[in-house]
Amino acid sequence: MKRVRFAPSPTGNLHIGTLRTALFNWLFAKRYNATYILRIEDTDKARSKPEYEGNIYEGMDWMGIIEDEGPKKGGKFGPYRQTERIVDGIYQKQLDRLLEEKKAYYCFCTDHDLDGEREDAKHKNRPYIYSRKCLHLSAEEIDEKLKSDISRTVKFEIPDTKSLIVSDGVRDDIDFDCRLISDFVLLKSDGNPSYNYSVVVDDALMGITDVIRGEDHISNTPRQLLLFKALGFTPPQYHHLPMILGQDKSKLSKRHGATAVTDYENQGYLSDALYNFLALLGWSPTDTTEIFDRTSLSTLFSMDRISKSNAVFDVTKLKWMNGQYIRSLEPAALAEKVKPFIDDINLAILDTYTESDVVKIIYSVRDNIALLPDINGYLESFNTSFISFSEKVKSFQFSDSEKQVVLDFCCSVFEHSEFTSENISETMDVIVTKNDGKKGKVFKPIRKALIGLERGPNIVEIVSLLGKDVLSERASFLGKYFSA
RNA sequence: GGCCCUAUCGUCUAGUGGUUAGGACACAUGGUUUUCAUCCAUGCAACCGGAGUUCGAUUCUCCGUAGGGCUACCA
């Protein structure tokens, strides 16, 4: 059984790029029947915040990505939060082995020393490699320094290998020259494991078989692979995903506008749409289908169709896709999604209707909506307020023939005992026929006179929902107004 | 600077040693619609450059170029 993990660090709100990584891990799990693990990498004490971890859960929940094992869910390989694993001594235990086997060593160099070496390397146009000053310390020297309160780290000694092959599930084998890689920190001076160290220990101990992550981790991979070997664990298969870029083709970041998943939720995107859209950023099916439900995505997804090149995040297409999803929703489901985005003014309008009419109203304007809050621009037509209506009507000019059409309609429509769409439509048809089949000459004045607006959803729908009472109020007003 | 990855319409992408290089978004035009929107049709638009391999390269190789990533006691 394969095991994959999504390992975000709670140092900010869940990012769209991070979410994509989670999604691909999730899709991999669904497709290849793997266990999906959520691990919180919070070893950066300064930047990690509980509220960010909460934001991650919130985003995962919204997207419907549910972990099989994780901090909240538990599991046999826990704990799943790195700070808790530190307390359990998990990293220390492995570190002792490395120290014992002389694969790692204490380093007492100061920031100042290290910065100097780095500057020197830069000056000489050479890659920075740690001088290994501390590798050659005698046992006595080390003991003495360890007893003092002098700051120390533990570093990994990079083996002198010319060629280290990293196999990647997405691209060809990648060849690294280890002589160009500097010894790096395993244990930070604050006593916490570094990322490159903790990630290896955790992936190893949690039995991770496949690591699916962003391409920005490629250069970390040789270090991690070396650590796997030094610890005697079998490394996972790595798969490096292309990056998501902003419009200017640089790494997607805050300056590109909305990048937090919650931003998209708040703007009125449907999680289904984002899910579908993100899946298509770096993966493509064998045919030209673009709209997938979650189930078919889970079965169609495959690692061998992941692309290698970075992708620009195109909000315009996401917006289009959101519209597609909105239009595919059933009336009740659409109403439920839309309601939280309706503003107070429009809420007041809807309050004058029954629950089932509200659902019909919302459904009647679905073609005009790309983002959920767009609904607010289309509800005015259903305003039953007489004051607001009469004021709007007074701003229009009506010709005599237009007045006649409106009056005709008002007379005929009340012949129906019920205001169903069919009945209203039938009345309309009669009037259109009377006017030489010229629909424009009928629909436009009726909309202006009865609604007080020039645009809006289907007039037949509006009239049937407005109902008899409101319409008779308006009709009698128009009767007086037109003859005045 | 060093190391690594990548390169097809503006964007997301499909694809092949010989194709009219396909689809989607966007854009333009036309149609349907009472209007807006939706929907439908059509159009516009791409193989980064140079060598090499080959009868033939967008496709394979190399070299450039461009973009991206990493180069931390951040993850």
Side-chain angles (χ1 to χ4, degrees), chain A residues 326-327 364-371 374-375 378 456-458:
Chain A
I326 283 175
R327 256 151 257 143
S364 77
V365 299
R366 72 188 188 286
D367 285 347
N368 295 76
I369 307 171
L371 297 181
D374 292 348
I375 186 86
Y378 298 93
N458 188 313

Side-chain angles (χ1 to χ4, degrees), chain A residues 244-479:
Chain A
I244 297 183
L245 311 178
Q247 291 295 337
D248 63 354
K249 302 205 178 208
S250 69
K251 193 175 179 178
L252 194 66
S253 71
K254 271 152 255 102
R255 62 195 173 75
H256 292 107
T259 49
V261 174
T262 37
D263 290 342
Y264 287 87
E265 187 178 358
N266 294 336
Q267 280 175 40
Y269 285 92
L270 259 21
S271 72
D272 284 345
L274 188 60
Y275 189 103
N276 190 153
F277 180 75
L278 250 23
L280 253 19
L281 231 49
W283 173 84
S284 61
T286 47
D287 61 12
T288 60
T289 316
E290 304 233 44
I291 306 288
F292 300 95
D293 59 54
R294 295 176 191 239
T295 315
S296 45
L297 218 31
S298 299
T299 52
L300 290 169
F301 183 77
S302 75
M303 292 303 281
D304 53 22
R305 292 192 64 82
I306 290 178
S307 65
K308 294 194 260 281
S309 46
N310 297 167
V312 172
F313 187 79
D314 181 13
V315 196
T316 311
K317 186 157 183 179
L318 171 59
K319 214 169 170 176
W320 164 78
M321 196 171 274
N322 205 53
Q324 297 295 307
Y325 272 89
I326 283 175
R327 256 151 257 143
S328 72
L329 254 24
E330 298 296 320
L334 178 66
E336 191 199 333
K337 297 281 185 197
V338 153
K339 274 179 187 167
F341 293 92
I342 298 176
D343 61 34
D344 290 346
I345 294 169
N346 287 304
L347 228 38
I349 292 174
L350 292 183
D351 271 347
T352 59
Y353 290 88
T354 65
E355 188 60 26
S356 72
D357 278 354
V358 167
V359 169
K360 283 183 199 163
I361 287 171
I362 291 172
Y363 195 66
S364 77
V365 299
R366 72 188 188 286
D367 285 347
N368 295 76
I369 307 171
L371 297 181
L372 264 12
D374 292 348
I375 186 86
N376 291 307
Y378 298 93
L379 295 178
E380 180 58 23
S381 294
F382 298 95
N383 193 347
T384 50
S385 155
F386 178 73
I387 309 282
S388 147
F389 156 76
S390 58
E391 272 171 16
K392 280 182 286 187
V393 168
K394 285 175 189 163
S395 71
F396 289 119
Q397 297 291 321
F398 292 91
S399 69
D400 287 345
S401 61
E402 283 181 325
K403 288 176 184 172
Q404 193 53 53
V405 167
V406 174
L407 264 17
D408 274 358
F409 176 79
C410 289
C411 282
S412 333
V413 78
F414 287 102
E415 285 167 15
H416 295 292
S417 55
E418 276 189 78
F419 272 23
T420 62
S421 322
E422 292 74 27
N423 289 342
I424 309 289
S425 193
E426 196 187 305
T427 308
M428 281 294 196
D429 287 345
V430 173
I431 309 220
V432 168
T433 312
K434 240 172 102 176
N435 284 271
D436 308 323
K438 299 226 164 74
K439 288 179 174 175
K441 290 220 186 286
V442 175
F443 284 87
K444 282 183 185 180
I446 290 179
R447 180 190 296 278
K448 279 198 297 182
L450 257 35
I451 315 296
L453 294 170
E454 287 184 289
R455 281 181 190 171
N458 188 313
I459 184 76
V460 171
E461 286 291 311
I462 299 175
V463 170
S464 73
L465 284 159
L466 243 23
K468 237 175 173 170
D469 293 347
V470 172
L471 211 66
S472 81
E473 181 180 42
R474 292 183 181 187
S476 64
F477 165 79
L478 289 168

Side-chain angles (χ1 to χ4, degrees), chain A residues 230-241:
Chain A
L231 288 163
F233 293 122
T234 309
Q237 172 64 55
Y238 290 98
H239 309 263
H240 289 101
L241 268 22

Side-chain angles (χ1 to χ4, degrees), chain A residues 6 18 50 52-53 69 71 76 83-84 89 109 125 134 154 162 183 198 209 211 276 280 301 306 309 318 332 391 483:
Chain A
F6 169 55
T18 317
Y52 292 140
E53 188 179 325
E69 296 172 22
K76 279 186 257 174
T83 46
E84 291 169 26
C109 289
N125 277 345
C134 296
V154 174
K162 328 111 258 304
D183 290 352
S198 57
T209 59
V211 169
N276 190 153
L280 253 19
F301 183 77
I306 290 178
S309 46
L318 171 59
E391 272 171 16
S483 54

